[in-house]
Amino acid sequence: MQRIADLMKEGEAAVRRPLGDARLLPSGFYTSPEIFEDEREKIFRRNWVSVGHVAELPNAGDRFPIDVAGEPLLIVRGRDGVVRALSAVCRHRAMLLAEGAGNAGTISCPYHKWTYALDGALMAAPLMEGVSPLDAAACALPPFACEVWNGFIFVNLDGCAAPLAVSLAPLGEELAPWKMDELEIVGRVVFEQPCNWKVLVDNFMEAYHHFAIHPETFEPNYPAALSHADNARGPFAALRMPHKGNELSEPLFPPLPDIPGEARRGFSVFNVYPSMLLAVFADTVTWYRMEIESVDSFRLTIYLLAHPRSLDVPDAEALKEFLRQAATAVHIEDIAACEGVQKGLESGMAIPARLSHLEAAMRQHQQWLMAELVRP
Ligand code: FES
Ligand SMILES: [Fe+2]
């Protein structure tokens, strides 16, 4: 216990230093099961966590299962059009209700076929006539707070987080021209990642590594040295990657007409805290969804999204395939770095590293993280 208290003190001291003398969080933040349990409680149960996009649930009855901080959930669109996050634990003997994405008019437990409506109300419980009447409220699947922001579905397990539209207002305003609630899923690529979730967040939120890890994919057009972070404006970080020479980037698809010229001269990446990673290009959006399983593993789904109007071009299918391959190739370059870092952090030789000025967005996240971990 003392070790964790010391680690927290070291973490707070690390993020308080000025950027010019900044340190990474101590390696225990990436390797300690106790810190991970703390993160589950204080980070992932208390804050909004992005779990899906409305494009996955176009129709009533569409659903997919997801685990947030160890809580099995079913994200489902009701007959009233509302997207809900229901507990996926059956109210009979706790069987998990969902195995995969799909569509049905009801939610049916595979074990004894108790059947629920799309809003979680119990509709039928076979062969239960011999017992006293079931309590409808106790037998309904409990809902968790669920919000759709810019087309992305978020869940807040403790139900106390401030509405996203308020806390993310400046980001919502910037992203409005992309019409993110109308995006179509062009591709999804899944990776099982043997590292702490923050190793990927750190990697995503700095372009310092472009010249070393992406010498052919990013560095030629988006050099590390030009990247820069915005000052903090809310519970998110923004990193800008200008095109070298301030030239217009060559998009794959025609961007929507209202995308500002500035956004066409490079791209931006965002971390909506704790872990929603977005790369926003003029013509497409890449979203990294993390399902965090343990201190050193998570499942990553890379979503590639674009607006249907941008996709209305003759060679759309070939371009989509190109996009899927390019995104996969870039991430494979990053995997080697992330896995190497995790092994290094697990050795006794990892020190709280000095950071570059190019790692400012990463540090903003760590400052937010520490503030959440010490919040009563
Ligand atoms: S556990 Fe679900 S019906 Fe029995
Ligand atoms: Fe990278």
Side-chain angles (χ1 to χ4, degrees):
M1 217 17 108
Q2 186 54 41
R3 213 179 71 79
I4 296 301
D6 291 347
L7 210 45
M8 295 296 283
K9 275 198 200 114
E10 283 172 37
E12 282 189 272
V15 301
R16 266 204 303 266
R17 288 169 179 267
L19 180 59
D21 191 30
R23 302 285 194 280
L24 186 73
L25 288 175
S27 57
F29 280 84
Y30 297 83
T31 59
S32 153
E34 290 91 345
I35 292 278
F36 177 69
E37 279 314 311
D38 235 26
E39 288 180 340
R40 271 191 160 176
E41 286 308 310
K42 295 179 174 167
I43 305 290
F44 290 101
R45 296 191 75 91
R46 282 183 180 177
N47 287 286
W48 291 105
V49 176
S50 55
V51 296
H53 189 272
V54 289
E56 293 172 271
L57 305 174
N59 303 308
D62 288 343
R63 81 278 308 273
F64 62 85
I66 190 156
D67 180 292
V68 175
E71 196 66 63
L73 304 177
L74 191 60
I75 312 298
V76 56
R77 189 181 287 279
R79 291 186 195 285
D80 52 4
V82 174
V83 175
R84 293 182 176 82
L86 300 174
S87 166
V89 177
C90 181
R91 302 301 274 178
H92 176 222
R93 274 184 26 224
M95 175 67 180
L96 291 186
L97 291 169
E99 280 170 358
N103 178 283
T106 59
I107 300 163
S108 174
C109 178
Y111 203 0
H112 313 94
K113 293 290 176 196
W114 282 30
T115 300
Y116 304 87
L118 298 177
D119 64 0
L122 182 68
M123 294 168 64
L127 306 179
M128 293 288 290
E129 296 81 4
V131 301
S132 58
L134 298 175
D135 175 344
C139 291
L141 300 174
F144 291 91
C146 184
E147 254 194 42
V148 176
W149 177 82
N150 265 17
F152 291 95
I153 304 164
F154 287 75
V155 171
N156 170 223
L157 292 179
D158 82 355
C160 298
L164 280 168
V166 176
S167 59
L168 297 180
L171 185 56
E173 212 171 290
E174 175 177 345
L175 298 181
W178 277 262
K179 300 185 188 303
M180 294 211 180
D181 54 336
E182 298 173 9
L183 297 183
E184 192 176 305
I185 298 173
V186 171
R188 264 183 289 202
V189 194
V190 178
F191 295 90
E192 297 295 337
Q193 304 282 243
C195 61
N196 183 265
W197 66 280
K198 297 188 292 303
V199 171
L200 181 68
V201 173
D202 293 351
N203 177 78
F204 197 90
M205 292 310 292
E206 55 91 352
Y208 182 19
H209 69 272
H210 276 192
F211 64 93
I213 296 292
H214 309 298
E216 286 163 16
T217 45
F218 277 143
E219 181 65 14
N221 287 327
Y222 306 101
L226 294 184
S227 66
H228 56 93
D230 289 6
N231 290 329
R233 287 180 294 156
F236 63 92
L239 177 69
R240 313 295 175 176
M241 320 253 193
H243 192 279
K244 60 163 189 205
N246 205 26
E247 293 162 27
L248 277 183
S249 308
E250 260 183 54
L252 273 185
F253 302 101
L256 289 181
D258 293 338
I259 305 286
E262 192 55 30
R264 301 187 59 169
R265 292 186 159 75
F267 69 100
S268 297
V269 298
F270 302 94
N271 176 15
V272 178
Y273 302 153
S275 60
M276 181 197 197
L277 303 178
L278 279 180
V280 178
F281 301 84
D283 57 338
T284 61
V285 174
T286 303
W287 169 42
Y288 280 32
R289 185 188 73 177
M290 282 193 249
E291 290 173 81
I292 298 159
E293 292 153 351
S294 72
V295 66
D296 58 3
S297 70
F298 61 90
R299 172 180 293 186
L300 172 69
T301 306
I302 300 181
Y303 284 67
L304 302 165
L305 302 139
H307 196 276
R309 275 164 65 191
S310 296
L311 296 171
D312 189 17
V313 288
D315 47 356
E317 289 314 311
L319 292 172
K320 286 180 192 177
E321 184 51 30
F322 178 83
L323 177 65
R324 288 190 284 266
Q325 286 184 13
T328 304
V330 165
H331 184 61
I332 286 172
E333 292 175 340
D334 283 317
I335 287 176
C338 291
E339 293 187 7
V341 164
Q342 183 70 27
K343 286 209 176 75
L345 290 166
E346 284 168 3
S347 97
M349 296 305 289
I351 58 166
R354 289 293 306 275
L355 300 179
S356 158
H357 64 287
L358 300 175
E359 294 168 303
M362 186 178 126
R363 179 165 164 275
Q364 287 172 13
H365 178 236
Q366 303 205 338
Q367 288 174 323
W368 176 87
L369 195 82
M370 284 313 304
E372 288 297 295
L373 286 175
V374 300
R375 183 156 69 90

